[in-house]
Amino acid sequence: MKILFHWSLALAFLSFFSFSMAGQRGSAEWLSIGIVAPETHDDFDEAQLQKVKTRLRTVLSANGLSASGSNNLILYPVLSLYDEREISTGMQLLQVVDMELSLFIKQPQEGIVFASESVKLTGSGRNRGQAINNALSQFDVRAPVWSSFISKAKQKIIRYYEDRCDQVIARADQLSKTGAMEEAISLLFNIPQEVSCYEKAAAESQRLYKEYLNQECSRIVISAKGYLARNDFASGLSILKKVDPESDCFTEAEEMIAEASREVEEDYLRRWNHYKESFADRVALEQQRISAVRDIAVAYWQSRQRQYSYWTIIK
């Protein structure tokens, strides 16, 4: 048997597609998985690698995951083309290839693999490219093996946080005290709803979010002032709407709107007043805060994911 598996060392790069579990966490989600894949490969061309990425997205969506991007989990494939041969059908020669596709779900910070699964694929065609395409078409994204793969990963992720929940909360508190507020909030956001300390973590994330807003107050106000000075009221109001009613700069935000009221179009004032009225609805306000925490987590983990290299992930 001829071994043909080689990874290209020249231009492997990271592609990300984020997915989140379709369960409810208020208006947010707890599980998201980024797909890491090589851009080049000695045995597969760009179109074939893209086909693999597309099918990985479908594996996730077929198992209740949808696009998001708010966690530190990675799904990556390892493709091994380990044999190829020619066979005669009597009228023509066909190329036949045998390959193995392995999938892994991993938390790269600690190098923890939550799930792995492999399948054998065989394809044939008039040439090598057709044979590989035929083999990849045998990758059944709805096969029970992948449902089991995702289910096992979810269970292990929940168990991981159940065992380490207090440690994660303590780590978030340490990070917040050093000014790494986005990372602290993002760590807490990762804790699944099924974990016993979820409510404690959610309350802590809300506390840190309020501290984060107070730290950001001056930046928000300065930015909004710039837009209002240029009579760009839509942008100014959009930024001021990030101000939580319990933050230190909310009064200043109201004063800015009052000062600009003579020049602000009625539609903008109506929108701002509607925004303020929503604060009276505590449920709506809580949902707004959960959504804001989620946005912070998404932005943080996406920025971290872009720093990963494929070779680092697969080690």
Side-chain angles (χ1 to χ4, degrees):
M1 182 173 290
K2 183 181 177 183
I3 304 299
L4 296 173
F5 171 50
H6 301 285
W7 286 107
S8 171
L9 296 174
L11 295 172
F13 99 122
L14 181 61
S15 286
F16 282 100
F17 303 90
S18 297
F19 297 83
S20 66
M21 185 177 177
Q24 290 296 314
R25 173 190 257 192
S27 61
E29 305 84 14
W30 68 266
L31 175 64
S32 67
I33 299 176
I35 297 177
V36 182
E39 181 65 9
T40 62
H41 189 292
D42 286 348
D43 292 316
F44 302 89
D45 62 29
E46 183 177 348
Q48 290 161 346
L49 293 174
Q50 184 59 48
K51 181 182 294 186
V52 172
K53 296 175 190 176
T54 299
R55 288 179 178 268
L56 293 183
R57 294 200 299 271
T58 307
V59 166
L60 294 175
S61 63
N63 288 280
L65 306 181
S66 59
S68 180
S70 57
N71 212 305
N72 59 343
L73 300 171
I74 295 297
L75 169 65
Y76 66 90
V78 173
L79 285 163
S80 172
L81 198 163
Y82 59 85
D83 188 41
E84 61 179 307
R85 58 197 178 277
E86 287 185 346
I87 63 172
S88 175
T89 64
M91 299 183 63
Q92 62 179 338
L93 288 175
L94 289 179
Q95 293 286 326
V96 178
V97 298
D98 295 311
M99 67 177 70
E100 183 175 69
L101 170 65
S102 301
L103 300 187
F104 301 83
I105 292 179
K106 184 176 184 179
Q107 198 257 56
Q109 282 78 16
E110 297 181 43
I112 299 173
V113 175
F114 289 109
S116 63
E117 192 59 76
S118 298
V119 294
K120 304 286 188 181
L121 303 173
T122 298
S124 61
R126 296 180 179 178
N127 55 52
R128 189 171 186 271
Q130 287 184 359
I132 291 175
N133 286 335
N134 181 249
L136 292 176
S137 71
Q138 310 306 311
F139 178 9
D140 182 1
V141 297
R142 300 185 185 279
V145 64
W146 303 123
S147 298
S148 176
F149 168 69
I150 296 295
S151 178
K152 289 177 182 176
K154 290 177 181 177
Q155 292 172 14
K156 289 185 178 180
I157 291 166
I158 291 171
R159 188 159 59 248
Y160 168 86
Y161 280 105
E162 191 69 63
D163 293 341
R164 297 168 175 80
C165 200
D166 289 338
Q167 296 174 32
V168 173
I169 293 175
R171 174 60 177 160
D173 183 59
Q174 292 174 352
L175 288 168
S176 69
K177 291 175 180 177
T178 64
M181 200 65 76
E182 292 94 340
E183 183 177 359
I185 291 172
S186 300
L187 283 177
L188 294 172
F189 185 81
N190 287 350
I191 296 176
Q193 191 170 357
E194 292 83 351
V195 175
S196 59
C197 73
Y198 167 75
E199 294 297 335
K200 179 180 178 181
E204 181 67 5
S205 70
Q206 291 296 310
R207 183 186 71 80
L208 294 184
Y209 172 64
K210 292 177 183 179
E211 288 187 18
Y212 171 79
L213 283 181
N214 288 334
Q215 292 179 5
E216 293 288 291
C217 267
S218 59
R219 183 191 64 79
I220 292 173
V221 168
I222 290 172
S223 181
K225 282 181 178 178
Y227 283 114
L228 293 177
R230 298 192 296 272
N231 295 325
D232 185 351
F233 299 113
S235 298
L237 286 175
S238 178
I239 291 176
L240 289 175
K241 284 174 68 175
K242 297 179 181 179
V243 178
D244 190 278
E246 296 181 9
S247 68
D248 294 344
C249 59
F250 184 71
T251 299
E252 186 173 4
E254 281 198 297
E255 291 173 351
M256 290 169 60
I257 293 297
E259 188 175 320
S261 61
R262 296 180 181 179
E263 301 178 42
V264 175
E265 294 180 10
E266 184 177 346
D267 179 57
Y268 293 128
L269 282 176
R270 184 165 54 251
R271 285 155 60 187
W272 174 255
N273 289 330
H274 176 72
Y275 175 67
K276 288 198 301 179
E277 289 170 3
S278 69
F279 298 152
D281 184 343
R282 301 304 298 180
V283 174
L285 181 57
E286 185 68 15
Q287 290 298 319
Q288 176 187 321
R289 287 171 175 165
I290 291 173
S291 180
V293 167
R294 175 190 177 279
D295 290 343
I296 291 171
V298 169
Y300 176 79
W301 290 121
Q302 287 184 343
S303 69
R304 287 294 301 270
Q305 289 171 355
R306 286 192 291 269
Q307 299 172 17
Y308 296 147
S309 71
Y310 181 78
W311 295 105
T312 300
I313 294 298
I314 67 174
K315 289 181 178 178

